[in-house]
Amino acid sequence: MNNKNSSLKMGLLDNGAHSLKRGYEVWNEWKKNEDGWLLKESIIWVHHGIELLLKQLLVQNNEFLVFQDVNKAVERLGMLRNKPGMDNAGVLDLFDHDDKVMSVGFKNLIERVSITLSIDELSTKSDLRDQIDQLTKFRNKIVHFSIELDVVEVSELISDILDPLLCMLSREVSCDHFKKVTILEIRKVAQPVQEYLKHIRSEIVSNALAATEKAICTDKKAGIVHQVLGSGLSVTLVSYLEKVKNLDSFRTKPIFIITDRIAIADQIYHQISNSLNVLLYKSEYAARLSDELNNKNAHIVIAIEQKLMRDGFLFNDDCLLVGFNTYSIKNRLEECFPKSTRILFTSTPIVKDQEFFGELIQGYDLLHAIQDEVLKPIHILRIEHTSDEAYFLGSNFHFARCNQLAERIVEHFESKVNQKALIVVDTIDHARHILDQVLSLRPKWGADGYECIQKVSYMENTDVARNRLKLFLDANSSLSMLVGTGSYFKGFDSSLVSSVYITCPISLQLRYRLANLVSRSNAFEQRGEIVDFVGLDWNL
């Protein structure tokens, strides 16, 4: 051990957090291979973490409470301070310099925390108290005797303790870093990704509800929920709606969900209708929507933003306006819903959204999702070229060099396994040209029934476009590459896409969207990839 690492100093809070985290790390290892020794170790670590963190609650309230005999501790501290060089000795220095004081035993510790700090979760016969007492029995037997464990019972006990314990600690511990960072680290270790996401979404919903209630009495701007694609934004929305419709303020008032795409409106409609028992209506037309509202046949209304604005829709009563992945024009939405309380759920927040909806309520962004292994890492492959070799300059398409561009795309695409990919272009004319160039290199990719690449556009026949998209979204279909404009892909969503080829300048908003898209790929690749032929800033 070198001089740098010759000592270890760890505070009470850090020590307890480390033990609790280690306990759940070992517990997850046990779940994978069912080695009984790991379950034993998990019990000891988890219990030790609980003990130290309960002592932390006492210490931050009154340091003397951590001693078994408080009066004796006061007396011994006075004696310690009379020793040379110990004038400023603190309460916890007693453990280092006086072997006649003892910390409070666990049985008295939990009782002292419960009564002194008035923590209901630790009161006698509460669920968490019963669970901790049971864990204490297992721990004592392990430490002092031989033991026979029902592994299923013990594993479920360790699992059941986690949520109520962390909720109590997040409220009672006074350290912000512990609340904002350490607790999330423990959750990530202890819970599978989907369970961890449930907690994240639950926290977001609670904060969104609080912001909504506050906005009713202030400026009507509840704020913005930012949740990255692939983390269940629509699930969060449904959970929020379930709770907000029971608030007194909105029990008898309509809730409008506004989006800017029919496909998204359909998705939300089906998700709400399958999850909530509410009066629900979806309309693309303002006139029909007005009739429904006049007849009071709908409590939650899903509508397309542009069509309401185009038809001059006006709802002049109190309501809740919920934007969902919509790119709103502030003044026009205010004209449609002048008295609304509003909130936005989005995967791609932009600054101008704050003018209408308010500040960020809570975010779960791309970086956090990648760090939590909810999403895959992203690799940006920049294709270097000199200025005179550029494929695109603004809107000027260099047709002469399009063949070279197509060659690079084909080469990269063929280096991957079972992938789906998007090629982002400036205009539909450019899409046609790139499609032709790719097919000239790989004629078989255009064979009837075995098409590998197609262009997509809003100007195409609706049924043709829908069938083409359906094929692309089929993991077993040969159609593996779509060529289209940024405006088309702005609302595109699929977990199949693992590569995106950028051949023209695109907005920051679309960069967020495409980076998020490849990061949630379920292809065999270990990471999503963006191939940039332009030289954009991907520091998102």
Side-chain angles (χ1 to χ4, degrees), residues 153-170:
E153 178 187 2
V154 174
S155 182
E156 288 180 351
L157 177 64
I158 292 173
S159 175
D160 291 343
I161 282 175
L162 182 69
D163 270 334
L165 176 68
L166 292 186
C167 287
M168 183 270 291
L169 291 172
S170 67

Side-chain angles (χ1 to χ4, degrees), residues 311-326:
D311 296 343
F313 178 81
L314 173 63
F315 188 81
N316 205 25
D317 293 327
D318 289 341
C319 64
L320 177 63
L321 178 65
V322 181
F324 186 83
N325 270 336
T326 186

Side-chain angles (χ1 to χ4, degrees), residues 299-441:
H299 183 64
I300 296 181
V301 176
I302 303 170
I304 310 299
E305 176 188 9
Q306 294 90 336
K307 296 194 176 183
L308 293 185
M309 294 180 186
R310 181 194 65 194
D311 296 343
F313 178 81
L314 173 63
F315 188 81
N316 205 25
D317 293 327
D318 289 341
C319 64
L320 177 63
L321 178 65
V322 181
F324 186 83
N325 270 336
T326 186
Y327 309 108
S328 306
I329 301 172
K330 173 180 179 288
N331 293 337
R332 294 172 67 184
L333 268 180
E334 282 184 328
E335 291 172 6
C336 293
F337 303 96
K339 297 182 181 178
S340 64
T341 300
R342 53 250 193 195
I343 185 171
L344 175 64
F345 290 76
T346 181
S347 58
T348 52
I350 55 177
V351 174
K352 72 174 185 178
D353 286 334
Q354 297 180 13
E355 297 177 22
F356 183 67
F357 290 103
E359 299 295 322
L360 183 71
I361 297 170
Q362 186 170 346
Y364 186 65
D365 60 22
L366 184 60
L367 179 59
H368 282 100
I370 291 173
Q371 290 173 339
D372 293 345
E373 298 182 354
V374 171
L375 299 177
K376 290 184 176 181
I378 303 167
H379 177 235
I380 308 297
L381 178 59
R382 301 179 188 277
I383 305 299
E384 300 294 338
H385 50 71
T386 60
S387 58
D388 62 333
E389 294 174 334
Y391 301 110
F392 291 86
L393 287 174
S395 61
N396 296 320
F397 186 81
H398 289 247
F399 290 96
R401 297 190 179 93
C402 186
N403 185 58
Q404 186 182 4
L405 178 68
E407 285 177 353
R408 292 198 180 224
I409 291 174
V410 169
E411 179 184 1
H412 181 273
F413 181 79
E414 290 182 328
S415 71
K416 303 295 180 180
V417 179
N418 295 331
Q419 75 155 329
K420 301 272 185 175
L422 307 179
I423 304 174
V424 183
V425 298
D426 212 24
T427 68
I428 294 302
D429 284 340
H430 301 167
R432 291 192 191 99
H433 201 72
I434 287 183
L435 178 61
D436 290 343
Q437 289 296 324
V438 170
L439 291 178
S440 71
L441 296 168

Side-chain angles (χ1 to χ4, degrees), residues 52-96:
L52 293 183
L53 291 170
L54 291 183
K55 286 181 178 179
Q56 169 66 28
L57 297 185
L58 287 180
V59 167
Q60 70 185 27
N61 183 263
N62 184 332
E63 290 179 319
F64 284 104
L65 292 176
V66 81
F67 295 100
Q68 182 69 32
D69 187 331
V70 174
N71 290 331
K72 186 175 183 178
V74 172
E75 178 187 337
R76 301 301 295 185
L77 179 61
M79 295 171 63
L80 180 62
R81 286 178 175 173
N82 287 327
K83 293 182 179 180
M86 300 301 296
D87 306 46
N88 297 317
V91 172
L92 299 184
D93 290 322
L94 283 171
F95 288 115
D96 294 326

Side-chain angles (χ1 to χ4, degrees), residues 40-59:
K40 167 200 164 183
E41 192 179 340
S42 174
I43 293 170
I44 294 172
W45 278 115
V46 170
H47 192 274
H48 184 247
I50 291 172
E51 180 175 5
L52 293 183
L53 291 170
L54 291 183
K55 286 181 178 179
Q56 169 66 28
L57 297 185
L58 287 180
V59 167

